[in-house]
Amino acid sequence: MTQARGQCEDCGPEPITAHQTLDLLALPAFDDNYIWLLRDPAGRALIVDPGDATPVLAELSDGPSPHAILITHHHDDHIGGLPALLARWPDVPVHAPQDPRIAHATHRVADGDRLAVGPWQFDVIGVPGHTRSHVAYHGEGLLFCGDTLFSLGCGRLFEGTAPQMHASLSRLAALAADTRVCCAHEYTASNAAFALSVDPHNTALRTRVQHVRALRGNGQPSLPSHLGEELACNPFLRCEAAAVHAAAERHAGQPLADATAVFATLRAWKDAFRA
Ligand code: FE
Ligand code: ZN
């Protein structure tokens, strides 16, 4: 099974930080989902967005009951495993945003909440856009951002508006640059084609794309990425950059007044983009 341990694949040796004590795994599920697992030294896990119980039960079968399950949004590829996991561990707390489409939640979370989960603390960040009740969890140098921020891309606007999503991404972009970005899908290689057509002269992006292709060629996850890397490479976090603004204006065929208009143009452009 392909797993991402909690090391940086892009930057070589890292300075020694608390992050290195974390045992972080990306469990593949379905075609391109990752279910993130964080384990403490005793092996007790935190599970994020278990769309499918099978890989989680396989990974944790011998271990103690998990600390908690965190849910970012109501889509089935993020919550579908809850019934089977709760059948196995009936007392595990399930933290999820207030949304009647998410059954099985035991604790409802909202923007600004701080959660204590086992030995860890996470802040809840409301990030409407992909869905109206989507939240992200930030703590311990990690960001579990569901389908809001992807490496080199972002989630589609199923329920929110472009200004909402741009505001949500801007809040995530303001977190510490060394935050590890734990996205819920392995979309990086396909996002790369669009990113390169928006921002073809961005050398950081070209370097990241080469590395992603090598990782994927070896069957390894491209995640987690670092937020600083996304700030340098991801066009959806670079709406203020002159090159990205100019590319969006060329695509739109008209001047774009601000970063929100650039974001809206990029999102619509990508929705119709075929590599
Ligand atoms: Fe989704
Ligand atoms: Zn998803």
Side-chain angles (χ1 to χ4, degrees), residues 73-78 130-131 134 146-147 150 158 185:
H73 69 293
H74 75 278
H75 285 159
D76 200 51
D77 61 312
H78 299 252
H130 178 67
T131 68
H134 200 305
D147 290 357
F150 294 124
F158 285 125
H185 289 269

Side-chain angles (χ1 to χ4, degrees), residues 82 180 220:
L82 283 176
R180 287 196 176 91
Q220 292 194 263

